[in-house]
Amino acid sequence: MTDDDQKQRMAQLEDRLAAARKAQEPKPRADEHYSMANMAWRMVIELVAGLGIGFGIGYGLDSLFGTLPIFMVLFIMLGLAAGVKTMLRSAQEIQEKTMADEAEKNAKDRGEPPATGEAD
């Protein structure tokens, strides 16, 4: 085999491999972005989970110590606070993503390159 023949066969092999990889590449999913309803359900579940965990801890401590439902009330309030804090964090995350998408769209409309978020 000559060197040119070997290079040609190697190039053909690379082309076939690239075609096979492209055929095996997964298709982009249409449902990758979350709808606002999904985000709303996420926030509701976060709030309910905080309340449920607070209730469980409070009830368990009350039954362990034989006290009035003081721990249950206390931990339900703490669970509510934790759930609201988590909901606010999720809302902020959604807002930041929405603002970034809007800024990218505006930059594209004006023909500017999208911002990378790095300081100059």
Side-chain angles (χ1 to χ4, degrees):
M1 261 193 196
T2 65
D3 201 27
D4 290 335
D5 187 36
Q6 201 172 23
K7 286 181 182 178
Q8 184 181 12
R9 288 185 64 201
M10 196 62 123
Q12 288 174 350
L13 179 62
E14 287 177 4
D15 290 341
R16 288 188 4 220
L17 284 173
R21 284 187 188 123
K22 189 170 187 174
Q24 294 289 331
E25 192 172 278
K27 303 284 187 248
R29 291 179 47 172
D31 63 344
E32 270 190 23
H33 62 81
Y34 298 107
S35 69
M36 287 298 156
N38 287 347
M39 292 299 181
W41 274 112
R42 174 184 163 186
M43 286 192 246
V44 168
I45 289 171
E46 289 169 349
L47 179 65
V48 171
L51 285 169
I53 290 170
F55 173 80
I57 291 172
Y59 183 77
L61 288 175
D62 277 334
S63 64
L64 181 68
F65 297 129
T67 58
L68 296 173
I70 189 73
F71 285 118
M72 188 172 66
V73 171
L74 176 70
F75 278 93
I76 284 176
M77 293 301 152
L78 289 174
L80 177 66
V84 169
K85 183 178 179 184
T86 306
M87 279 179 49
L88 289 174
R89 191 178 314 133
S90 295
Q92 184 179 12
E93 175 186 318
I94 293 167
Q95 183 181 13
E96 287 172 357
K97 184 180 182 308
T98 304
M99 301 229 355
D101 290 344
E102 190 174 315
E104 185 177 324
K105 180 183 166 209
N106 288 341
K108 185 192 262 186
D109 290 343
R110 285 180 284 183
E112 298 174 0
T116 60
E118 296 176 3
D120 289 326

